[in-house]
Amino acid sequence: MADSYLRQSALASLHLIARANQADSNAGLSMGERGFLCQWVVRGDAGNAVFASAVKDVTGCDLPIEPNTVQGSGYINVLWLGPDEWLIVAPDGSDAGPRLDEACKDIHAAVTDVSESRTVIVLAGEHARDVLAKGCALDFHARSFVVDQCAQSTLAHMHVIVHQRSDAPEFDVYVHRSFAESLWQWLEDAAAEYGFAVSNPV
Amino acid sequence: MTRQANRLGTDLVAGARIDRSKSIWFTFNGRRYEGHEGDTLASALVANDVQLVARSFKYHRPRGFFGAGAEDPCVMVQVGVGAETLPNLRATQVELYDGLVADSVNAWPSVNHDVGIVNDLMSRLLPAGFYYKTFMWPASWWTTYEHVIRNAAGMGVAPKQPDPDTYDHMHIHCDVLIVGGGPSGLAAALAAGRTGARVIIVDEQSEMGGSILASRLLVDDKPGAEWLASALAELGAMEEVRVMPRTTAFGHYDHNHMGLLERRTDHLGPGHDIARQRMWKVRAGQVIHAGGAIERSLVFAGNDRPGVMLASAAATYVNRWAARPGQKTVIFTNNDSAYGVAADLADAGISVQAIVDLRVEPGAAALEEASARNIEVLTASCVVETRGKRAVEGVTVMKLNDAGDGVVVGERRFDCGLVAVSGGWSPAVHLHCHAGGKVDYDEIQGCFVPGKTLEAARSVGAANGQLDLADCLTAGWQAGTNAAADTGFRKPGKVPKGPTATAVEVSPPRHVWIIPAKPGEENKVKRFVDLQNDVTDADVRLAAREGYRSVEHLKRYTTLGMGTDQGKTSNIPGLGILAAELEKSLPDVGTTTFRPPYTAITMGAIAGRYTGQMLEPVRRSPMHHWHENHGAAFEDVGQWKRPWYYPQDGEDMHAAVARECLAARNAIGILDATTLGKIDIQGPDASEFLNRIYTNAWSKLAVGRCRYGLMLSEDGMVMDDGVTSCISDNRYLMTTTSGNAASVMGWLEEWLQTEWPDLKVWCNSISEYWATLTISGPFARDLLAELCSDIDVSNDGLPFMSWREGTVAGAPARVFRISFTGEVSFEINVPASHGLGLWQALMTAGEKYGITPYGTEAMHVLRAEKGYIIVGQETDGTMTPYDLDMDWIVSKKKPDFIGKRSLGRADFLRDDRKQLVGLFTEDPLEVLPEGAQIVDDPNAPIPMPMIGHVTSSYLSANLGRSIALAVVKGGINRKGETVHLPLENGRTVRAEITGMVFYDPQGERLNG
Amino acid sequence: MLIIDCPYCGKRDEAEFHYGGEAHIVRPENPSELSDEAWAEYLFMRSNTKGRFLERWVHSEGCRRWFNMARNTANNEVEAVYLMGETPPKEVSK
């Protein structure tokens, strides 16, 4: 048997955790990778009571029906991605996906594991909105984009899901794994004028 | 030279916007000059009595300052040196900084001694359309002509080195965007800002204020500067208001999308580490155009001599920069606004010789200003000539007849170094028009004013034809209030009052588009319409007589209004002359189309941060850095970086690929195939869906089995291919080619959502979930067996075209027994985070078998040896499955699938379609170039009838000879025949048409 | 750049969308029964309208849903958006 492998997050090669220790207190924002989240894309009919209650039972969250919103339980977040599409996000080790799949086996719904497909880059702090605005046409002004709002769009020509987590403001930026290094490189360049610190979000 | 000989003292101009205590030294055309903080390059040169700054485009005539801002057509300069240099900037818009280096453009060897002036001496021979008439024949010589003409036209030089500066982009949204920081714009910003709306106000100049900066009129009974300071202080304190000087709104696009260019460090000179310029992409709820108006000149004899200047520019140089544009002055006008200029100049100690007014009756207030300063006013008069060598030394004035088309005998002569001209005002309607806004003709003002627009936009102040300060303030305030209200912001309570000024009564202007010359000299003089492109009234009239009746054709033929200023001062006079010649009204002649950008913007700003490494996002597999660390050369496949080959110890590409190919057939090759598209397809109708998408049948694919599928577009052409596996009941995993991953996913969704919403199927992309590692070759199974204990990987346990789930090297895995090499081959899929670990485990355990990573080039060779196609290489959107000799994959039983009906169209059944075959060159070591054309008869006259071309071509190390795939007309039935390939170097290569499978034709190795 | 009001996500920049050509072209039920001419009509023939045009768009960088839009091709005014499978709203039906 070969040596046991190491799981690698999408940005592992950038050694962000090591850089996180050199925090800069004057930084205009912080950036870090929230890796190894469990993620499932869920497809189904929002009007189907069995489907909605299955989501509620498994995740503890109401199925978000309102476009561009997130329902969170503190442990799990459910992001609205489309009229029949949601993203369930949970910490590493969660079994919410398989349980939901089981709960939906008699209805026309689909649960697909996409945990490995995207990583999350967390942007937080005073200039987080400015950095996003450099590459994304969404309106991130506090009047327009609020806590637990989400949207799919492009950031620096890369497809992303943006979820505002707090008023700090703090944003989770979901990016496809293969693009993650490109996006990080772009973000570092965009953030340079404000000064940034690498964070180690959990 | 005296330092700043023409700088006016504070005794003469008190409120200038320069800091006289701060000197700035700069170099122009090799000489050092002094200026002050707040100066532009133009104002500093004026202050230093530098009059000759440029040469015109065609005749290389001397040019001086004509305007004071974006409207100036002439004074283009090259600013900065080396990599930082920028060509063709207007000296009137370049802010001075210490050490600035600027030079004239379009002058060789120097602006004072320009050899191009011979063009001027030959100008009789260079009429309108000269280049078109002369250099179009013979056509093949055009490239030679063009080279010489472009050199002679020389518009400054682009830097040769990469741009050391950075640029960036910023998106921003607002409720109200105000273009122009003059009195109407500021009033609008105050009104809108006070409602709490998100407001952006931009101005292209270094400070906000617009005409206030050069005017001595009172606002709210205060000096303009004082009011300006308080307005800016209030705006600055509003949280939701962004005030942006040095920012040009260069384009108004659909749905209130506005482009702004902010110059962040240009005024500081080189060596700053923030982005030099930033392009803002604005979405505005409401737009207020308050960009002011542009003064026009008059078309009179000798009107291009340096010293002839727009009246407003003369006042601006004096009032804003305390720079004296001339000692003795004659004002030449058709309207009242130049009387204020005369007063300003006189108050600054400049001797105003006379005001020459085309009108019989100037306005009363205007006349009063003149008489208060003892300035002689010559009514119903015109300047019939200017005198002087390189610059104006005097003018001759005559009485104008009633019709305005001739003069009355009797002339007055004045000595003067400055002729301040006003031909009326044209609102800056450019941005309004960019987004499809219409214009209306204002007969009285002789200009186009903004008309209907579909945008949520309005124009106010001078930009809307309102020239009086009091009107501008009122209209601006109203527009700001209304625009904010339209976006949902209203200030509660009593409607507050906006800023005010005293209204001034004016008399209307008189429009005479061509000012008569001295009697008998009509055919000798030059009257310029377009000072940059040297277009005279005679050129316009000639063009009209030659039949260029459309204004758009006139523009191209004469170059009127082309070039870097796009006719900001020349358009209306040109149209007036054309209309007169055609005996039409001016609005019936129409205008040319205004297109973005309003003023030129740099390529750097357009590119923003997307240059160099960030030109385009790069996609990397989880094993990317391993490949990098092991010396891989990479190939771009879409946005992916894929290992192309892994050269070792001085190997060239050929040697590395040969080694990799041999290893894959004799030991183990390992390939990073992560880039393949993967789609999870679920639902009770999933197999029916696959039946409709693919050409072959899918109903009977058992769980654990895989099948190759071919996808057509509805026109019957091959679109994609790949292996799809049955994962569980009603669940499939489709793979696509790397390049088509996203488009196939979109294709499936399109059919499900738009044509077959009744099908119960869900598709989700999982391309990014899996890392795919392919091991191939005679020892691949032994290696896999070592690392995988929970799957029976024997030929019976895991037969060809099947898959199993288990663990490999401890990672959860799906192992697919499929092959793109013709060898026993396993595609191991693990969650992406395990990819690198598994790769390393396979490399370590495989070392004893001689495991060798291979790249895309070896992959191409190996599959070509087996005759496997690559969609996009063997196909180009015109290949059917029959053309590929793949009839076997097209179901005859299925009633329908996408593209089926097209396969029956007559053109598809022709037997002379280009069909895919193999080629063996006569010389086994001759590798044909891909794309080489195939002919039957190499001796046929050129152009030879071409019967096909090479799609893939390699030297096969395994076969010890070259192989090629090609499409040949009717090729499937021509095997064994010889064809010819004439190559670029004149050689012709003979080749034999063969089958496509060059290696292991029985497929024995696959099942080994 | 247009603003397109995605019926699901709301107003977004045109850059998030892809164009899908003329709307309401229905795939024939039984293509095999069609003459070559009739099939070519379905496959290739599209109107090239100046003025109001009913067309398909997909919110490719957002919710990935297809929908219909009535747009004036002469001035880019978006007159209506409506769901796939729906008939055009009264105000834009010809």
Side-chain angles (χ1 to χ4, degrees):
Chain A
M1 197 72 185
D3 291 342
S4 68
Y5 56 87
L6 270 175
R7 271 183 89 192
Q8 295 247 314
S9 77
L11 295 176
S13 69
L14 302 179
H15 310 294
L16 298 179
I17 293 170
R19 289 179 63 189
N21 298 326
Q22 309 146 19
D24 171 4
S25 56
N26 293 322
L29 72 156
S30 67
M31 312 197 302
E33 182 188 20
R34 207 193 300 277
F36 300 120
L37 292 169
C38 286
Q39 303 173 53
W40 293 275
V41 163
V42 181
R43 308 291 299 272
D45 174 5
N48 182 326
V50 178
F51 175 67
S53 68
V55 171
K56 173 84 186 177
D57 290 348
V58 170
T59 66
C61 307
D62 287 327
L63 186 68
I65 306 297
E66 177 85 10
N68 310 314
T69 62
V70 179
Q71 290 287 336
S73 70
Y75 179 72
I76 289 184
N77 280 312
V78 184
L79 284 67
W80 182 96
L81 297 184
D84 55 15
E85 184 170 356
W86 294 266
L87 184 70
I88 295 180
V89 185
D92 196 15
S94 164
D95 62 352
R99 285 199 292 129
L100 183 60
D101 202 14
E102 180 63 23
C104 292
K105 67 178 191 300
D106 294 328
I107 58 170
H108 179 46
V111 178
T112 301
D113 188 351
V114 293
S115 305
E116 302 275 335
S117 299
R118 291 188 178 95
T119 192
V120 171
I121 296 175
V122 182
L123 297 185
E126 190 190 342
H127 286 288
R129 289 189 177 100
D130 295 323
V131 169
L132 290 172
K134 285 192 181 189
C136 179
L138 294 173
D139 185 2
F140 291 107
H141 190 279
R143 286 180 185 171
S144 302
F145 208 91
V146 297
V147 173
D148 275 341
Q149 191 165 334
C150 68
Q152 298 188 76
S153 187
T154 56
L155 177 58
H157 305 154
M158 292 170 252
H159 182 264
V160 291
I161 305 167
V162 182
H163 170 202
Q164 186 172 344
R165 296 288 295 264
S166 80
D167 267 333
E170 179 180 334
F171 296 94
D172 279 358
V173 178
Y174 293 74
V175 59
H176 281 123
R177 183 179 179 108
S178 66
F179 286 105
E181 279 189 37
S182 274
L183 183 61
W184 181 274
Q185 180 194 15
W186 184 91
L187 286 168
E188 274 206 14
D189 188 57
E193 69 174 291
Y194 309 114
F196 68 93
V198 176
S199 63
N200 186 15
V202 285
Chain B
M1 184 191 288
T2 321
R3 280 164 60 172
Q4 306 195 51
N6 276 343
R7 186 71 76 181
L8 296 159
T10 46
D11 51 327
L12 294 168
V13 180
R17 319 272 311 168
I18 50 168
D19 186 343
R20 293 168 194 264
S21 68
K22 289 189 180 143
S23 282
I24 293 178
W25 288 91
F26 66 101
T27 305
F28 180 68
N29 283 343
R31 286 192 62 172
R32 260 163 70 79
Y33 297 98
E34 182 194 34
H36 290 306
E37 199 170 286
D39 262 326
T40 63
L41 176 57
S43 67
L45 287 173
V46 168
N48 282 287
D49 200 22
V50 177
Q51 207 164 22
L52 180 56
V53 279
R55 291 277 176 168
S56 65
F57 198 70
K58 187 162 131 192
Y59 300 145
H60 291 244
R61 287 166 71 100
R63 291 284 181 259
F65 294 106
F66 182 74
E71 77 286 358
D72 193 291
C74 302
V75 291
M76 281 184 304
V77 291
Q78 180 97 25
V79 175
V81 291
E84 302 256 352
T85 191
L86 280 178
N88 307 331
L89 298 183
R90 256 172 231 92
T92 52
Q93 293 186 295
V94 174
E95 286 182 62
L96 218 53
Y97 56 80
D98 230 6
L100 177 142
V101 177
D103 290 284
S104 300
V105 302
N106 200 27
W108 186 83
S110 81
V111 73
N112 290 310
H113 306 279
D114 181 348
V115 296
I117 193 78
V118 295
N119 279 5
D120 191 31
L121 303 175
M122 291 168 62
S123 63
R124 292 268 164 227
L125 306 175
L126 295 173
F130 171 74
Y131 292 116
Y132 295 117
K133 287 167 179 161
T134 310
F135 294 114
M136 280 300 144
W137 184 90
S140 61
W141 284 24
W142 168 245
T143 47
T144 310
Y145 291 142
E146 187 186 23
H147 184 68
V148 175
I149 291 169
R150 297 244 186 264
N151 272 347
M155 296 276 288
V157 293
K160 299 263 188 291
Q161 306 90 322
D163 192 337
D165 290 314
T166 59
Y167 302 81
D168 74 0
H169 294 171
M170 188 79 102
H171 295 270
I172 192 165
H173 299 249
C174 67
D175 298 305
V176 182
L177 171 66
I178 300 157
V179 179
S184 41
L186 288 168
L190 287 168
R194 285 179 194 170
T195 66
R198 292 160 70 185
V199 176
I200 299 173
I201 178 168
V202 304
D203 195 283
E204 64 181 352
Q205 300 207 36
S206 58
E207 50 179 333
M208 310 300 282
S211 62
I212 294 173
L213 298 171
S215 163
R216 297 187 300 164
L217 299 176
L218 302 181
V219 181
D220 280 348
D221 301 321
K222 287 185 275 199
E226 217 173 280
W227 177 79
L228 177 63
S230 67
L232 290 175
E234 182 179 349
L235 291 172
M238 293 177 180
E239 200 180 328
E240 296 298 344
V241 174
R242 184 186 288 267
V243 178
M244 300 176 70
R246 298 193 177 94
T247 303
T248 302
F250 62 81
H252 188 169
Y253 304 90
D254 286 321
H255 300 183
N256 273 356
H257 194 231
M258 295 280 291
L260 312 179
L261 181 73
E262 182 189 17
R263 289 169 294 277
R264 302 175 78 204
T265 68
D266 287 73
H267 61 294
L268 303 173
H272 297 270
D273 56 5
I274 62 167
R276 177 179 186 168
Q277 299 178 342
R278 172 173 281 167
M279 184 186 288
W280 294 78
K281 302 175 178 185
V282 188
R283 273 299 178 187
Q286 294 281 326
V287 171
I288 298 176
H289 289 301
I294 295 167
E295 194 166 28
R296 299 191 296 266
S297 183
L298 291 165
V299 181
F300 60 100
N303 65 345
D304 75 323
R305 271 205 173 82
V308 177
M309 182 183 283
L310 292 172
S312 58
T316 303
Y317 284 116
V318 168
N319 291 338
R320 182 164 173 188
W321 292 298
R324 179 173 49 206
Q327 301 268 17
K328 286 183 175 177
T329 299
V330 167
I331 309 274
F332 184 22
T333 185
N334 73 344
N335 68 87
D336 283 350
S337 68
Y339 286 74
V341 174
D344 287 353
L345 298 189
D347 294 352
I350 293 170
S351 161
V352 180
Q353 307 284 296
I355 298 175
V356 181
D357 196 325
L358 293 175
R359 299 171 300 173
V360 180
E361 277 186 63
L367 285 172
E368 208 169 289
E369 281 205 275
S371 75
R373 290 166 181 83
N374 289 318
I375 300 171
E376 184 183 4
V377 176
L378 302 170
T379 57
S381 298
C382 59
V383 173
V384 292
E385 68 172 8
T386 64
R387 297 188 302 275
K389 284 186 178 166
R390 287 216 176 117
V392 170
E393 289 163 19
V395 299
T396 304
V397 176
M398 295 181 81
K399 283 275 177 196
L400 191 63
N401 65 16
D402 291 346
D405 58 1
V407 287
V408 180
V409 180
E411 56 179 60
R412 293 274 305 275
R413 292 163 74 90
F414 295 93
D415 290 338
C416 62
L418 175 66
V419 184
V421 188
S422 180
W425 293 84
S426 302
V429 296
H430 307 68
L431 288 161
H432 163 82
C433 294
H434 287 173
K438 304 281 183 253
V439 288
D440 299 324
Y441 188 65
D442 180 332
E443 284 286 349
I444 293 173
Q445 295 298 332
C447 64
F448 288 102
V449 293
K452 267 193 204 154
T453 176
L454 272 176
E455 298 295 312
R458 62 199 88 205
S459 298
V460 294
N464 196 32
Q466 296 158 310
L467 298 175
D468 185 66
L469 177 62
D471 291 344
C472 288
L473 292 168
T474 311
W477 180 263
Q478 200 61 46
T481 307
N482 294 345
D486 288 346
T487 59
F489 289 88
R490 262 188 197 80
K491 196 160 168 57
K494 185 161 132 289
V495 180
K497 211 164 110 3
T500 56
T502 308
V504 182
E505 284 288 323
V506 294
S507 286
R510 179 184 184 186
H511 301 294
V512 178
W513 299 120
I514 301 175
I515 307 297
K518 286 169 86 168
E521 297 199 351
E522 274 297 331
N523 293 324
K524 292 182 196 161
V525 299
K526 276 205 190 90
R527 286 176 288 229
F528 285 85
V529 182
D530 184 324
L531 288 172
Q532 182 176 106
N533 295 298
D534 286 329
V535 180
T536 64
D537 68 310
D539 291 327
V540 175
R541 287 181 295 156
L542 174 64
R545 286 200 302 277
E546 288 183 355
Y548 291 89
R549 287 158 175 270
S550 148
V551 61
E552 297 284 1
H553 293 163
L554 175 84
K555 173 173 174 173
R556 272 86 190 161
Y557 190 57
T558 63
T559 68
L560 171 74
M562 292 173 75
T564 56
D565 71 320
Q566 289 286 296
K568 289 185 174 63
T569 55
S570 61
N571 271 341
I572 293 277
L575 293 173
I577 294 166
L578 180 65
E581 192 69 27
L582 298 176
E583 296 180 352
K584 283 184 176 177
S585 72
L586 194 148
D588 285 344
V589 170
T591 64
T592 52
T593 311
F594 295 102
R595 293 191 184 86
Y598 176 65
T599 49
I601 53 178
T602 57
M603 297 305 288
I606 293 170
R609 321 159 60 71
Y610 303 103
T611 63
Q613 285 200 315
M614 293 193 292
L615 179 66
E616 190 179 30
V618 167
R619 302 180 72 179
R620 295 175 176 90
S621 91
M623 290 80 85
H624 180 86
H625 295 289
W626 190 96
H627 305 319
E628 229 171 31
N629 294 336
H630 289 78
F634 287 91
E635 180 182 29
D636 290 340
V637 179
Q639 291 173 315
W640 288 100
K641 291 279 179 207
R642 294 195 70 179
W644 192 11
Y645 57 97
Y646 299 79
Q648 288 183 354
D649 307 327
E651 277 180 334
D652 62 7
M653 178 173 172
H654 169 71
V657 171
R659 176 180 48 74
E660 291 170 17
C661 287
L662 289 169
R665 298 223 185 276
N666 299 303
I668 307 177
I670 179 167
L671 174 78
D672 181 353
T674 302
T675 58
L676 287 175
K678 304 162 204 85
I679 301 169
D680 175 35
I681 301 175
Q682 304 187 39
D685 295 322
S687 62
E688 169 61 20
F689 183 53
L690 292 175
N691 273 334
R692 298 186 191 183
I693 292 289
Y694 280 129
T695 59
N696 47 345
W698 290 83
S699 307
K700 290 180 183 152
L701 188 68
V703 174
R705 299 294 299 183
C706 317
R707 183 170 291 166
Y708 174 78
L710 197 63
M711 237 178 247
L712 308 184
S713 47
E714 191 73 296
D715 62 5
M717 302 304 174
V718 171
M719 193 183 94
D720 201 60
D721 69 347
V723 170
T724 290
S725 309
C726 187
I727 300 298
S728 60
D729 285 343
N730 299 328
R731 187 163 189 176
Y732 297 85
L733 173 66
M734 173 186 281
T735 60
T736 75
T737 58
S738 302
N740 281 340
S743 60
V744 169
M745 178 67 196
W747 178 248
L748 302 185
E749 281 290 349
E750 180 180 348
W751 285 96
L752 282 174
Q753 291 180 38
T754 67
E755 285 292 340
W756 305 320
D758 53 309
L759 286 187
K760 291 192 164 176
V761 179
W762 299 112
C763 296
N764 289 299
S765 170
I766 46 171
S767 300
E768 296 268 359
Y769 184 95
W770 300 101
T772 304
L773 300 77
T774 302
I775 51 172
S776 199
F779 300 108
R781 180 178 286 125
D782 299 326
L783 173 60
L784 181 59
E786 267 185 49
L787 297 182
C788 173
S789 54
D790 51 1
I791 301 174
D792 173 5
V793 299
S794 70
N795 200 35
D796 294 334
L798 185 57
F800 183 55
M801 295 308 268
S802 66
W803 76 277
R804 297 290 179 271
E805 189 150 22
T807 54
V808 179
R814 288 173 174 177
V815 180
F816 296 78
R817 170 89 191 278
I818 52 185
S819 180
F820 199 41
T821 59
E823 300 295 320
V824 168
S825 174
F826 301 92
E827 273 190 20
I828 310 167
N829 283 258
V830 291
S833 63
H834 294 282
L836 180 60
L838 177 60
W839 183 279
Q840 288 169 324
L842 288 166
M843 288 304 296
T844 305
E847 202 179 345
K848 56 183 170 291
Y849 301 109
I851 191 168
T852 301
Y854 67 98
T856 51
E857 188 63 20
M859 177 190 83
H860 278 219
V861 177
L862 293 165
R863 64 88 206 181
E865 288 171 351
K866 290 294 296 175
Y868 298 146
I869 63 156
I870 288 183
V871 170
Q873 176 128 3
E874 270 64 57
T875 72
D876 59 2
T878 69
M879 298 296 286
T880 72
Y882 305 145
D883 298 339
L884 296 170
D885 205 6
M886 292 175 75
D887 310 32
W888 54 272
I889 203 170
V890 181
S891 162
K892 308 286 182 293
K893 291 187 192 146
K894 288 197 292 183
D896 194 14
F897 55 83
I898 296 170
K900 179 180 167 76
R901 175 62 187 83
S902 290
L903 295 178
R905 295 173 63 223
D907 194 57
F908 286 58
L909 306 174
R910 278 175 23 227
D911 52 15
D912 64 342
R913 287 183 64 84
K914 286 182 184 172
Q915 295 165 335
L916 189 64
V917 293
L919 286 185
F920 268 156
T921 49
E922 213 164 57
D923 171 1
L925 294 181
E926 173 87 42
V927 183
L928 292 165
E930 287 174 359
Q933 294 293 320
I934 301 167
V935 301
D936 270 327
D937 176 9
N939 298 314
I942 292 171
M944 292 183 200
M946 292 174 284
I947 58 168
H949 63 269
V950 176
T951 60
S952 293
S953 175
Y954 313 97
L955 191 63
S956 162
N958 285 301
L959 293 161
R961 65 152 302 143
S962 71
I963 55 171
L965 297 174
V967 291
V968 177
K969 281 185 179 173
I972 291 170
N973 292 321
R974 294 187 58 181
K975 283 171 194 160
E977 293 182 24
T978 298
V979 290
H980 305 266
L981 296 102
L983 301 183
E984 204 176 16
N985 55 15
R987 260 178 347 114
T988 296
V989 174
R990 288 160 60 91
E992 183 193 329
I993 299 177
T994 68
M996 285 187 285
V997 186
F998 302 104
Y999 186 82
D1000 183 27
Q1002 306 307 316
E1004 285 155 1
R1005 303 178 64 89
L1006 197 60
N1007 294 310
Chain C
M1 176 127 43
L2 312 184
I3 294 177
I4 293 176
D5 194 359
C6 168
Y8 305 105
C9 300
K11 290 183 172 155
R12 299 290 185 89
D13 257 32
E14 183 187 343
E16 291 187 4
F17 298 82
H18 270 91
Y19 185 62
E22 186 171 4
H24 307 297
I25 306 268
V26 181
R27 189 173 193 266
E29 193 107 347
N30 294 305
S32 59
E33 290 168 12
L34 261 54
S35 66
D36 278 3
E37 289 70 28
W39 180 246
E41 183 68 28
Y42 156 72
L43 196 55
F44 300 121
M45 296 306 172
R46 298 292 183 271
S47 354
N48 183 19
T49 308
K50 181 178 181 181
R52 179 182 296 151
F53 191 53
L54 306 180
E55 58 197 18
R56 310 184 312 157
W57 288 78
V58 59
H59 192 187
S60 41
E61 300 290 354
C63 63
R64 299 187 298 115
R65 294 310 96 183
W66 284 84
F67 59 91
N68 295 310
M69 186 159 111
R71 179 179 62 101
N72 186 324
T73 59
N75 61 23
N76 276 337
E77 185 181 3
V78 176
E79 299 178 318
V81 290
Y82 54 102
L83 302 185
M84 204 39 69
E86 288 184 349
T87 50
K90 224 180 283 160
E91 66 272 18
V92 296
S93 57
K94 299 195 180 154

